[in-house]
Amino acid sequence: MAAAEFALQQQVEILYTDHHGWLRGLLRRKLGNAFDAADLAHDVYLQLLRTGRVPPADERRRHLTQIANGLVIDLYRRRRVEAAYLEALALLPEQMAPSEEARALALEALVEIDAALNGLPPKARKALLLCKLDGMAYRDIAAELGVSVSSVEKYIAAGLLACYQALHGAVC
């Protein structure tokens, strides 16, 4: 382990010792559930380790709160996607229902696509959804959004690229 990695790990351990109980309590109040709160509190510290940055002492609680709030939003978004997916699966005949493994993989892909779509500018997201879900022509999308057809082409290309990158982790 490099010296910088060791130093980061020590800083995160100190941060964890000093603030973990407070953070778990904050999340428990937000979520109303101690189990989800414990999971998300753990994820906050994992995210700190991934980013490689521990905030200065006077900003630590604010920084932890900001990360935690993002993770709470992600949790609710994931649950919304999962509920919609399960609702759609319930409409299938039993013999067509996917295996548990296929469900888990499909759900993970849906969550990644949802995150990619939410990262797009609103017009790009709407253009892609109107095209792919509603089957609208580019000219009709342009009229609905009040933009040119070439803008719609760019929006859809950006949306498709974001979805591809979310699913394949590729940077084009």
Side-chain angles (χ1 to χ4, degrees):
M1 180 181 295
E5 289 176 22
F6 183 71
L8 173 64
Q9 185 177 351
Q10 284 185 319
Q11 289 175 341
V12 171
E13 283 178 21
I14 292 167
L15 185 66
Y16 182 90
T17 302
D18 292 348
H19 299 284
H20 181 69
W22 167 82
L23 180 61
R24 226 176 52 226
L26 173 78
L27 287 166
R28 187 174 51 250
R29 286 188 299 280
K30 281 183 179 280
L31 298 169
N33 178 326
F35 299 110
D36 288 338
D39 285 345
L40 287 188
H42 176 76
D43 291 347
V44 167
Y45 292 101
L46 286 177
Q47 191 164 333
L48 281 171
L49 285 170
R50 276 193 296 271
T51 62
R53 180 176 113 54
V54 174
D58 62 332
E59 296 178 20
R60 289 187 175 165
R61 286 199 173 180
R62 185 173 56 85
H63 190 74
L64 292 172
T65 301
Q66 185 176 19
I67 294 170
N69 286 338
L71 292 174
V72 168
I73 290 167
D74 290 346
L75 174 68
Y76 285 133
R77 182 177 291 136
R78 179 181 180 88
R79 286 184 177 165
R80 181 179 47 89
V81 169
E82 184 174 11
Y85 177 60
L86 293 174
E87 189 176 302
L89 285 180
L91 299 175
L92 291 176
E94 191 174 325
Q95 64 272 20
M96 293 183 68
S99 68
E100 287 300 317
E101 181 182 2
R103 278 188 195 182
L105 291 171
L107 180 60
E108 196 59 41
L110 288 170
V111 168
E112 290 173 11
I113 289 172
D114 181 64
L117 291 175
N118 281 310
L120 291 173
K123 284 187 178 182
R125 179 176 50 250
K126 187 165 186 176
L128 182 64
L129 294 175
L130 289 172
C131 176
K132 296 299 177 186
L133 297 181
D134 296 338
M136 287 179 68
Y138 285 17
R139 187 172 310 284
D140 297 332
I141 296 169
E144 175 143 341
L145 297 179
V147 298
S148 67
V149 172
S150 66
S151 291
V152 170
E153 291 170 346
K154 290 175 188 170
Y155 292 154
I156 291 174
L160 291 173
L161 177 60
C163 290
Y164 179 85
Q165 289 173 337
L167 291 175
H168 301 290
V171 179
C172 300

